[in-house]
Amino acid sequence: MAEEKTKAEAVETAEAVQEVKKAEPKQDPQEYLDNFDWDKYEEGIERVEDSKLKEFETLVEENFVDTADEEVVEGKVVHMTDREAIIDINAKSEGVISLNEFRYNPDLKVGDKVEVLIDIREDKTGQLVLSHRKARTIKAWDRVNDAHDKEEIVTGFVKCRTKGGMIVDVFGIEAFLPGSQIDVKPIRDYDQYVGKTMEFKVVKINHEFKNVVVSHKALIEADIEEQKKEIIGQLEKGQVLEGVVKNVTSYGVFIDLGGVDGLIHITDLSWSRINHPNEVVELDQKLNVVILDFDDNKSRIQLGLKQLEKHPWDALGDEIKIGDKVKGKVVVIADYGAFIEVAEGVEGLIHVSEMSWSTHLRSAQDFVSVGDEVEAVVLTLDREERKMSLGIKQLTPDPWTDITTKYPVGSRHEGIVRNFTNFGVFVEMEEGIDGLIYISDLSWTRKIKHPSEFVTVGDKLEVEVLELDVEGRKLSLGHKQTTENPWDKYATEFAEGSVHKAAVSEIVDKGATVTFNDDIVAFIPSRHMEKEDGKKLTKGEEVEFKIIEFNKDFKRVVASHTAIFREQEERNMRTARKKMAASQEDAPTLGDANAQLQALKEKMEADSKKK
């Protein structure tokens, strides 16, 4: 209004000057010539007094903008259309700005003052074109820095999505809004914010790279912190509160209690077993929860959902008792057994030992699978401890009841090899009845270091019952007893002193081995490997051997090649000694010689006397 008044006053001043001139009296010719204005005659204009010109220049400087100056000026919105805003900057004409440049300010209205920069002084239509965006850009960094230093709230327009967040127009500068700074709760749909005008706080400025980071979350954290303090101060164990599901993880659910987060562990969601929390709750769901516990500063709050309902064990009827048959669904399988849900939230354990009468090691997966409907017998029931043990094998008769009738000592049967140990083989006679064959009872002749050398799991094996312990539920079996012991025959065939011809099989430590047949492998000590020529036997060399030791119980056979010719040598020595002794008996001795000499002497003396 003041500007319009100034223009009106200038017009009135000019009109007043014309009126004064009209009122002046007429002059004579000489006076007219003396006062003739030659400037007006030559230039075609009327001279204005210097004081009037000075006054006019002052009015122009105070009320009109120099359109050649590119400095940012302030204008006023005087009119708005659907697409443009008409801005008065006190120039010769109003300027036009597209409303797109005011997207950050949807509340723009007539009378608002805005900063503008002259973009085009006259377009094709002679219109003054202004730019609010350019003006904002020139002033933007000063405003951004000032807002950051003073921690002021700024308004920005969310332009688009980008990796990790959003691009926001703040004072004409493109600022980055990280996804974590949009709200205090996780954002799942970023697109819902595109095109919105929101309030922000400038949290970081990088002058070197001209980067600006803003946060909307920072504006609401202060209010939330106050709410959080108020809520935490009122927390008590056992208190029931309403919350909203904020996040769902594999181990539990985070609940927003109004600025304070609490966790419902998966075990506190339902009395029944669940595999994942999303089976019970979903995101943004409102529900009531109970406070179970919290730490000293109440920063970690443990919540419960199932505690709002009566415990299923308390609702379990009295009709269930030990010995009853119950039906249920397999919910969990472990190595040691399976948990059966016999009622909602009520589970019983079937230990693997109660799944079958069999005693050899097996896992629960061999009998049941998760989801199976099974029938079982209640073995133990403790309502105070809320524990129940069940059994499946009790549904069938105990096979050991008539064991002495079916498997008397000495009887022969066929079983299936189920398992190995270092000392023997477990053979299943029937479901629930297993017997053990010690490694020494597998073969009469073979020396077995491990049962896997003789049989494999799943093989059918003929056995004989050797011992039966009904109270200890133990059955001792033998396999070799089902065949004749060949060592009884070998004891005669390979008796000590018998001679057999064979080749040297292997050279071993301290001797060699000789294979006489499939069962008999004899050991030849080194000192018994010497041949008649003094050399040692070599592998593959075929000679005669004499059995010098045979032990049926320990399956030990020792043979000797040296004994063959040594025995002949000894016989030859004995013969030589006998002949030598005989010859010595016939030969005259020294006494005989003396006697003969004496007799000869006496004869000679007698003959001399005769002469």
Side-chain angles (χ1 to χ4, degrees):
M1 293 296 292
E3 296 169 353
E4 294 175 358
K5 183 178 180 181
T6 303
K7 291 181 180 180
E9 289 175 350
V11 173
E12 289 177 0
T13 301
E15 291 176 350
V17 172
Q18 296 297 325
E19 291 295 331
V20 170
K21 289 183 177 181
K22 290 179 180 179
E24 291 179 352
K26 295 183 177 179
Q27 297 175 332
D28 57 23
Q30 186 62 39
E31 184 179 359
Y32 177 79
L33 290 172
D34 293 339
N35 295 325
F36 185 77
D37 191 344
W38 293 99
D39 291 334
K40 180 179 179 181
Y41 174 76
E42 293 176 356
E43 301 294 337
I45 59 173
E46 185 177 356
R47 178 184 293 274
V48 181
E49 296 181 3
D50 292 340
S51 61
K52 295 291 185 180
L53 289 173
K54 192 69 175 177
E55 181 182 354
F56 182 75
E57 290 175 357
T58 302
L59 289 172
V60 170
E61 290 176 357
E62 292 177 351
N63 295 280
F64 293 95
V65 175
D66 184 3
T67 57
D69 190 358
E70 294 184 355
E71 292 183 358
V72 175
V73 297
E74 187 176 71
K76 184 172 67 174
V77 180
V78 295
H79 184 68
M80 293 180 64
T81 66
D82 294 338
R83 301 177 61 183
E84 298 173 329
I86 311 301
I87 311 296
D88 180 12
I89 61 170
N90 287 335
K92 292 180 180 180
S93 62
E94 287 84 3
V96 179
I97 298 178
S98 173
L99 287 179
N100 286 334
E101 298 191 21
F102 294 98
R103 286 183 300 178
Y104 75 94
N105 184 13
D107 298 326
L108 183 71
K109 61 184 181 299
V110 174
D112 287 351
K113 292 183 178 182
V114 294
E115 291 178 336
V116 297
L117 185 72
I118 298 171
D119 199 3
I120 303 174
R121 280 178 287 178
E122 288 187 5
D123 62 5
K124 293 180 180 180
T125 61
Q127 180 67 54
L128 174 65
V129 179
L130 305 177
S131 174
H132 176 60
R133 178 180 58 79
K134 292 181 179 179
R136 289 179 71 220
T137 303
I138 293 174
K139 295 290 186 179
W141 278 103
D142 293 337
R143 291 181 176 179
V144 166
N145 282 282
D146 190 55
H148 179 262
D149 296 338
K150 295 180 180 180
E151 297 185 355
E152 294 178 346
I153 297 174
V154 299
T155 302
F157 175 77
V158 181
K159 296 178 65 176
C160 61
R161 281 192 60 179
T162 188
K163 185 178 180 180
M166 317 289 289
I167 298 298
V168 180
D169 183 342
V170 178
F171 301 137
I173 295 177
E174 288 190 347
F176 177 58
L177 172 63
S180 61
Q181 296 298 316
I182 298 177
D183 205 338
V184 292
K185 59 183 179 180
I187 302 300
R188 291 179 288 275
D189 182 14
Y190 284 24
D191 292 333
Q192 63 179 314
Y193 294 93
V194 176
K196 287 188 176 182
T197 299
M198 302 169 61
E199 291 184 336
F200 302 97
K201 185 176 180 181
V202 181
V203 294
K204 186 177 180 181
I205 298 177
N206 188 319
H207 295 279
E208 181 180 356
F209 297 101
K210 298 294 183 182
N211 291 336
V212 178
V213 180
V214 296
S215 171
H216 178 69
K217 175 182 176 182
L219 300 179
I220 57 179
E221 280 183 333
D223 294 337
I224 291 178
E225 191 64 29
E226 291 297 325
Q227 296 177 11
K228 185 176 180 180
K229 290 179 181 178
E230 183 178 352
I231 293 173
I232 288 177
Q234 299 174 355
L235 290 181
E236 295 180 1
K237 292 182 182 180
Q239 184 179 9
V240 178
L241 300 174
E242 184 182 62
V244 178
V245 177
K246 182 178 180 180
N247 193 17
V248 179
T249 68
S250 60
Y251 56 86
V253 179
F254 287 94
I255 304 296
D256 183 0
L257 300 175
V260 180
D261 290 347
L263 172 65
I264 306 177
H265 195 269
I266 187 172
T267 57
D268 291 316
L269 282 170
S270 172
W271 291 114
S272 299
R273 287 183 184 264
I274 57 175
N275 295 319
H276 197 278
N278 56 21
E279 298 177 18
V280 180
V281 298
E282 58 185 16
L283 286 173
D284 300 325
Q285 178 183 351
K286 289 185 178 181
L287 43 78
N288 290 329
V289 292
V290 60
I291 298 177
L292 303 180
D293 201 0
F294 44 73
D295 56 7
D296 294 338
N297 57 9
K298 298 182 181 179
S299 60
R300 294 184 180 181
I301 304 172
Q302 182 180 347
L303 305 175
L305 181 64
K306 71 179 184 181
Q307 288 79 4
L308 296 176
E309 300 177 356
K310 189 177 181 180
H311 197 289
W313 272 89
D314 297 334
L316 189 65
D318 295 333
E319 64 275 7
I320 296 180
K321 56 185 181 297
I322 294 175
D324 287 350
K325 294 181 181 179
V326 293
K327 291 183 178 181
K329 183 175 69 174
V330 179
V331 291
V332 174
I333 295 180
D335 291 337
Y336 54 85
F339 289 91
I340 312 298
E341 188 176 49
V342 297
E344 185 176 358
V346 178
E347 296 177 0
L349 171 64
I350 304 179
H351 194 272
V352 66
S353 62
E354 301 298 338
M355 292 183 173
S356 170
W357 291 110
S358 178
T359 57
H360 62 267
L361 298 178
R362 296 169 73 179
S363 62
Q365 288 89 340
D366 295 332
F367 299 95
V368 294
S369 301
V370 174
D372 288 352
E373 294 286 342
V374 298
E375 186 178 25
V377 176
V378 179
L379 304 181
T380 63
L381 181 62
D382 190 336
R383 294 179 182 272
E384 292 183 1
E385 294 293 329
R386 294 170 178 170
K387 292 181 179 180
M388 181 189 305
S389 63
L390 307 173
I392 295 179
K393 70 181 184 181
Q394 289 77 9
L395 297 173
T396 58
D398 184 356
W400 282 82
T401 303
D402 56 349
I403 188 70
T404 55
T405 304
K406 291 189 292 185
Y407 301 100
V409 175
S411 60
R412 294 183 179 182
H413 310 272
E414 187 176 68
I416 299 175
V417 177
R418 291 299 186 190
N419 197 14
F420 292 145
T421 67
N422 291 330
F423 54 84
V425 180
F426 284 99
V427 177
E428 184 181 55
M429 309 302 293
E430 63 177 80
E431 181 69 27
I433 298 181
D434 296 339
L436 173 64
I437 304 176
Y438 283 100
I439 196 170
S440 59
D441 289 319
L442 287 172
S443 173
W444 289 112
T445 58
R446 290 179 56 182
K447 293 182 179 179
I448 302 171
K449 294 181 179 180
H450 192 274
S452 59
E453 301 173 8
F454 189 81
V455 292
T456 59
V457 174
D459 285 353
K460 291 183 178 181
L461 204 63
E462 189 176 0
V463 296
E464 181 176 314
V465 179
L466 304 181
E467 295 181 13
L468 178 61
D469 182 358
V470 179
E471 293 183 1
R473 302 174 78 93
K474 293 181 180 180
L475 191 63
S476 179
L477 306 174
H479 171 66
K480 71 180 184 181
Q481 287 79 5
T482 60
T483 61
E484 183 181 357
N485 186 356
W487 285 85
D488 292 337
K489 178 182 66 175
Y490 296 149
T492 303
E493 184 179 351
F494 293 91
E496 292 183 8
S498 60
V499 177
H500 306 271
K501 190 174 184 179
V504 177
S505 303
E506 296 289 341
I507 303 298
V508 298
D509 187 28
K510 297 182 180 181
T513 59
V514 175
T515 303
F516 291 118
N517 57 33
D518 293 339
D519 300 326
I520 304 296
V521 178
F523 175 67
I524 314 298
S526 294
R527 59 190 180 87
H528 290 277
M529 294 175 61
E530 185 178 347
K531 295 188 292 183
E532 191 171 1
D533 58 5
K535 296 180 180 180
K536 292 282 189 179
L537 291 173
T538 58
K539 183 178 179 179
E541 191 171 358
E542 186 175 15
V543 293
E544 289 186 337
F545 294 94
K546 182 179 181 181
I547 305 299
I548 59 176
E549 182 182 349
F550 183 90
N551 190 316
K552 183 179 73 173
D553 296 332
F554 295 98
K555 300 179 180 59
R556 176 180 172 84
V557 178
V558 181
S560 172
H561 170 67
T562 305
I564 298 294
F565 65 84
R566 286 279 172 83
E567 184 177 351
Q568 184 61 43
E569 287 179 355
E570 289 178 0
R571 284 198 296 268
N572 293 338
M573 288 291 293
R574 286 196 295 270
T575 302
R577 290 193 189 98
K578 289 179 180 180
K579 289 181 178 180
M580 185 180 294
S583 62
Q584 288 176 354
E585 289 178 359
D586 296 336
T589 64
L590 183 58
D592 294 337
N594 291 334
Q596 290 178 358
L597 289 173
Q598 184 65 32
L600 182 58
K601 183 180 179 180
E602 291 178 353
K603 182 178 180 183
M604 291 177 63
E605 289 179 353
D607 290 338
S608 63
K609 288 179 178 181
K610 288 180 179 180
K611 292 178 179 179

